[in-house]
Amino acid sequence: MKKTEKLLAEKLLQISAIKLQPHNPFVWASGWNSPIYNDNRRILSYPDVRNFVKVEFCRAILENFPEVEAIAGVATGAISIGAIIADTLGLPYVYVRVIPKDHGLENCIEGNLRPGTKVVVIEDLVSTGGSSLKCVELLQNYGTEVVGMTCLFNYKFPVAVKRFHEANINLISLCDYSTMIEVAEQTNYISTEEAETLREWREDPAAWMPRVAE
């Protein structure tokens, strides 16, 4: 039987929630050239994949954070899936934005939580970890207890691993970059050469440049 991580990687590739283009890279908002692009919102349009993700998120939360009392989704990518998870678990729900609204109540946290509430944060994607941990900080400053975070996909960049360790936040990932490459190669989505290119990017994404064809 395949592990959850590999099953999820297959599903994400099948619905193009993950796109791999080693020879025609994307450009991230950070300016990085990247052979991979995540569009996890596509999950919402595929009921079978959406249900699979919902069940696995709930399983991960109950197994790792049984004390959870509320769910917080990170805006904007995890707002919808966070709400679905909270509804399935029968728990209160809020979502958190790093930058407050520039009008109205100027909230960073949308919803209502009692101080001391034990919260699990839902992320769709963790790259460097900066924005994810900023949301954790906002919840902590709000007076809640963040007991952990679960994410759909994790690049596991060293800088993120270090940040989560320093923040003392337990991050549980349903799928990660290494597993995705392994599955993509096994299913012939990419060649062995392209898999090596993807692994090279992971080592130093800020400096990586695509190879120029000879």
Side-chain angles (χ1 to χ4, degrees):
M1 182 178 294
K2 292 183 181 178
K3 291 185 177 180
T4 297
E5 295 91 335
K6 290 189 175 183
L7 283 171
L8 181 54
E10 284 185 7
K11 293 177 186 294
L12 295 176
L13 289 166
Q14 287 168 359
I15 66 172
S16 296
I18 291 177
K19 296 183 179 181
L20 303 177
Q21 296 182 183
H23 302 299
N24 183 27
F26 305 94
V27 178
W28 284 6
S30 62
W32 289 1
N33 288 291
S34 172
I36 178 174
Y37 185 78
N38 292 75
D39 186 9
N40 293 324
R41 292 175 180 84
R42 292 181 67 89
I43 290 168
L44 300 171
S45 300
Y46 296 84
D48 57 334
V49 180
R50 187 179 67 219
N51 188 62
F52 180 86
V53 168
K54 176 191 72 176
V55 169
E56 293 307 323
F57 258 116
C58 290
R59 189 196 314 277
I61 291 168
L62 293 176
E63 288 180 355
N64 293 278
F65 313 112
E67 69 273 39
V68 61
E69 296 174 332
I71 300 295
V74 177
T76 59
I79 290 178
S80 298
I81 193 64
I84 293 170
I85 292 163
D87 186 62
T88 302
L89 295 175
L91 294 174
Y93 179 67
V94 300
Y95 69 84
V96 188
R97 54 168 67 90
V98 175
I99 301 174
K101 291 192 300 184
D102 60 1
H103 60 280
L105 298 177
E106 300 182 352
N107 292 333
C108 280
I109 299 174
E110 297 290 359
N112 185 43
L113 289 175
R114 291 179 290 103
T117 300
K118 293 179 172 61
V119 179
V120 169
V121 179
I122 304 296
E123 258 287 25
D124 72 318
L125 175 69
V126 171
S127 54
T128 61
S131 59
S132 303
L133 289 171
K134 176 62 177 178
C135 289
V136 168
E137 182 183 351
L138 289 167
L139 285 162
Q140 291 171 332
N141 291 340
Y142 190 75
T144 66
E145 180 184 347
V146 177
V147 297
M149 180 183 295
T150 57
C151 72
L152 178 66
F153 190 87
N154 186 359
Y155 283 99
K156 291 191 174 179
F157 291 136
V159 63
V161 173
K162 183 173 183 289
R163 283 174 170 172
F164 275 90
H165 175 74
E166 292 175 344
N168 195 29
I169 295 297
N170 186 11
L171 173 62
I172 303 299
S173 311
L174 299 188
C175 187
D176 60 44
Y177 188 73
S178 296
T179 301
M180 181 275 303
I181 294 176
E182 180 182 349
V183 169
E185 187 176 5
Q186 288 174 348
T187 57
N188 296 317
Y189 186 99
I190 55 174
S191 65
T192 299
E193 179 185 354
E194 289 171 327
E196 285 305 311
T197 297
L198 284 156
R199 293 187 179 98
E200 288 172 5
W201 172 82
R202 167 67 175 67
E203 293 175 5
D204 190 5
W208 182 84
M209 293 293 291
R211 297 174 182 174
V212 178
E214 297 181 357

